[in-house]
Amino acid sequence: AAGAPKPLPSSGPKSLREMPHPLATSSSEEMGPALTPSPDLLLPRSIADKDLSLPNGTPVDTSSPASSSSLLNRLQLDDDLDGETRDLFVTVDDPKKHVCTMETYITYRVTTKTTRAEFDLPEYSVRRRYQDFDWLRNKLEESQPTHLIPPLPEKFVVKGVVDRFSEEFVETRRKALDKFLKRITDHPVLSFNEHFNVFLTAKDLNAYKKQGMALLSKMGESVKYVTGGYKLRSRPLEFAAIGEYLDTFSLKLGTIDRIAQRIIKEQLEYLVELREYGPVYSTWGGLEAELSEPLEGVSACIGNCCTALEELSEDMTEDFLPVLREYILYSESMKNVLKKRDQVQAEYEAKLEAVALKKEDRPKVPTDVEKCQDRVECFNADLKADMERWQNNKRQDFRQLLMGMADKNIQYYEKCLTAWESIIPLLQDKPETK
């Protein structure tokens, strides 16, 4: 019949194969070509070979920890260029502390440069605090329910942080807020959202916030259908696979995050002991004239190792952990969109059943059923597009993250090796003078 509802579109099994789990144990064939290690990363196993080189012929300098030819400099990330012409650039910088009678808070400068016609000026500079970013995310989630909204950094990035106004904490948050806005800027739909425009341009954001409060009582369909009482029979296979993938991904990443935090904690405890260990040799050298030079050398060597370990721990805390947390939150955001999609499909199925139970013949399907079907199709298309974009970003981010971690560890051990090698001549037997 002409009025019969058409079946929901499906992308078929191909999209399932494009979602290999990066942390699951599987063969290289199952992982797909996108996750195959780059040939440039396959370094020789033997560390005894002094003439190490990459397969492309580039020599590997293992003696100089300060060498500029690090992994990140030697290896080119082929995912960096996506071929898109960007017309909107947003940065977050210049954090400032504000002390008021009622509260103390931090604001950040948000600078926008654009050639888009939707903006009245080519450049804007406004100051925003964390709760303003939170307002923006809530507005995006409310007005674009079918899309994946990037996560904000947690209210407190590290559990147990005493001073949230410390330089380290504020800088970590600034980086996360900057990435949050850049994620939105790169999105082909979210970047054109009117609330995002207001956030970037309005001098007084509070006026828009109050205006939004007055409209809360008028819930649109985008919010109403999410809180409905419909229950989904079963997810389509491709969306069930996405749900299982996200559950496993967040579980694996959460485990890595907890272990990484324990490693950093133990590194810092070891660092405390190491700082007490070095000066003992220096004190001992003051008592032994003949051993003074080598003992002072050992003390200096341990001091250099302390500095190298401190730098490694800072890099792990400031660069590695925030990316893990962002993607844990990202997976939760994707799960929320998936639940909304399920709710819309459940509503659609319930409406179809209600129509089928009615005995009288109808010339066509009721308009509200068609609208509900349109919402399901919109959810399916937007969620799959955002999932693909998220996978591409994740692959690039984790490649850069893991290469950076490898590079930092190589630098750490090279510095320690150089420090210990420097005292060997002091410890070797010197020929007796006649």
Side-chain angles (χ1 to χ4, degrees):
K6 57 184 178 180
L8 296 178
S10 172
S11 62
K14 181 180 179 181
S15 62
L16 299 183
R17 293 199 298 267
E18 292 174 349
M19 296 188 304
H21 196 295
L23 301 176
T25 55
S26 60
S27 66
S28 59
E29 289 79 7
E30 291 172 337
M31 294 294 281
L35 294 172
T36 302
S38 169
D40 292 341
L41 289 175
L42 303 177
L43 298 178
R45 287 175 176 261
S46 173
I47 60 173
D49 186 357
K50 296 299 182 181
D51 298 320
L52 293 178
S53 62
L54 297 174
N56 61 9
T58 305
V60 178
D61 187 352
T62 59
S63 61
S64 174
S67 173
S68 61
S69 59
S70 63
L71 278 178
L72 288 177
N73 290 331
R74 288 197 299 260
L75 305 178
Q76 297 298 318
L77 297 178
D78 54 6
D79 290 341
D80 283 347
L81 300 177
D82 54 11
E84 296 180 2
T85 302
R86 297 183 60 185
D87 53 6
L88 181 63
F89 300 87
V90 181
T91 57
V92 178
D93 60 9
D94 189 28
K96 286 186 178 179
K97 185 176 180 180
H98 300 260
V99 181
C100 302
T101 306
M102 301 296 294
E103 62 176 338
T104 301
Y105 59 94
I106 302 291
T107 64
Y108 304 85
R109 181 175 62 189
V110 178
T111 304
T112 305
K113 296 182 180 181
T114 182
T115 56
R116 290 187 180 180
E118 292 82 13
F119 293 84
D120 296 328
L121 300 173
E123 187 170 345
Y124 295 87
S125 180
V126 295
R127 297 204 70 85
R128 298 285 184 254
R129 55 187 297 187
Y130 179 88
Q131 67 181 29
D132 297 330
F133 288 84
D134 192 40
W135 171 86
L136 170 62
R137 191 182 188 283
N138 290 334
K139 283 297 181 181
L140 291 175
E141 204 166 42
E142 178 185 309
S143 58
Q144 310 279 177
T146 64
H147 285 287
L148 171 62
I149 311 301
L152 272 175
E154 296 158 300
K155 190 71 176 176
F156 293 97
V157 178
V158 181
K159 292 180 181 179
V161 170
V162 178
D163 184 11
R164 63 190 180 94
F165 302 109
S166 68
E167 184 177 343
E168 295 80 5
F169 180 86
V170 171
E171 176 59 17
T172 299
R173 172 164 289 180
R174 183 203 65 76
K175 289 180 180 178
L177 295 176
D178 183 75
K179 183 175 286 188
F180 169 72
L181 292 187
K182 282 180 168 56
R183 300 280 196 204
I184 299 173
T185 301
D186 292 339
H187 197 282
V189 177
L190 300 180
S191 63
F192 288 92
N193 185 278
E194 59 179 342
H195 300 296
F196 187 46
N197 187 307
V198 168
F199 176 87
L200 297 178
T201 62
K203 288 295 182 184
D204 182 15
L205 197 59
N206 290 326
Y208 290 91
K209 288 183 179 180
K210 293 175 182 177
Q211 182 183 3
M213 291 291 288
L215 298 175
L216 280 179
S217 58
K218 302 177 182 179
M219 288 201 307
E221 281 190 317
S222 63
V223 177
K224 192 161 54 179
Y225 63 66
V226 175
T227 59
Y230 306 104
K231 290 188 177 180
L232 182 67
R233 289 200 191 98
S234 63
R235 280 177 177 168
L237 288 177
E238 59 185 327
F239 295 109
I242 291 177
E244 293 174 2
Y245 170 87
L246 293 171
D247 287 339
T248 307
F249 177 75
S250 57
L251 181 65
K252 297 282 188 182
L253 225 55
T255 302
I256 292 174
D257 179 54
R258 288 191 298 273
I259 295 174
Q261 289 192 58
R262 287 204 303 268
I263 291 174
I264 293 173
K265 182 173 179 284
E266 291 173 3
Q267 282 180 340
L268 294 177
E269 291 173 351
Y270 173 57
L271 186 59
V272 171
E273 299 291 340
L274 212 56
R275 282 175 176 156
E276 295 179 0
Y277 185 51
V280 174
Y281 286 93
S282 182
T283 305
W284 181 15
L287 302 175
E288 303 268 3
E290 295 181 357
L291 298 176
S292 177
E293 189 176 2
L295 290 175
E296 286 290 351
V298 172
S299 178
C301 170
I302 295 174
N304 290 335
C305 291
C306 283
T307 303
L309 181 58
E310 186 175 16
E311 292 173 355
L312 179 64
S313 298
E314 287 178 358
D315 289 329
M316 288 282 287
T317 303
E318 297 174 7
D319 299 330
F320 185 74
L321 291 183
V323 176
L324 295 182
R325 293 197 185 96
E326 183 199 15
Y327 272 92
I328 292 173
L329 295 174
Y330 235 136
S331 62
E332 293 302 316
S333 298
M334 180 63 85
K335 289 179 188 178
N336 290 334
V337 179
L338 198 58
K339 289 178 183 177
K340 293 177 185 178
R341 192 219 72 86
D342 292 346
Q343 189 61 56
V344 177
Q345 182 183 335
E347 181 185 6
Y348 173 63
E349 292 174 351
K351 288 182 182 295
L352 276 183
E353 287 183 1
V355 171
L357 289 174
K358 292 185 178 180
K359 300 297 183 182
E360 66 268 22
D361 294 329
R362 290 177 174 269
K364 65 174 185 177
V365 177
T367 305
D368 62 331
V369 178
E370 292 181 339
K371 287 183 178 178
C372 191
Q373 182 182 5
D374 290 341
R375 287 208 301 268
V376 175
E377 294 177 358
C378 183
F379 252 111
N380 290 350
D382 290 348
L383 194 149
K384 285 186 284 189
D386 281 359
M387 185 68 180
E388 182 179 357
R389 183 178 295 104
W390 180 72
Q391 290 280 20
N392 290 335
N393 288 338
K394 175 172 62 61
R395 184 162 53 247
Q396 180 176 331
D397 287 345
F398 273 91
R399 179 188 297 180
Q400 187 169 352
L401 177 74
L402 297 176
M403 285 172 58
M405 183 173 68
D407 192 58
K408 296 297 183 182
N409 275 275
I410 289 171
Q411 290 181 21
Y412 164 70
Y413 287 108
E414 283 181 339
K415 289 176 182 178
C416 292
L417 178 63
T418 302
W420 284 109
E421 284 182 339
S422 68
I423 67 168
I424 290 178
L426 299 177
L427 302 176
Q428 290 175 334
D429 293 333
K430 296 181 181 179
E432 295 182 2
T433 56
K434 295 183 180 179

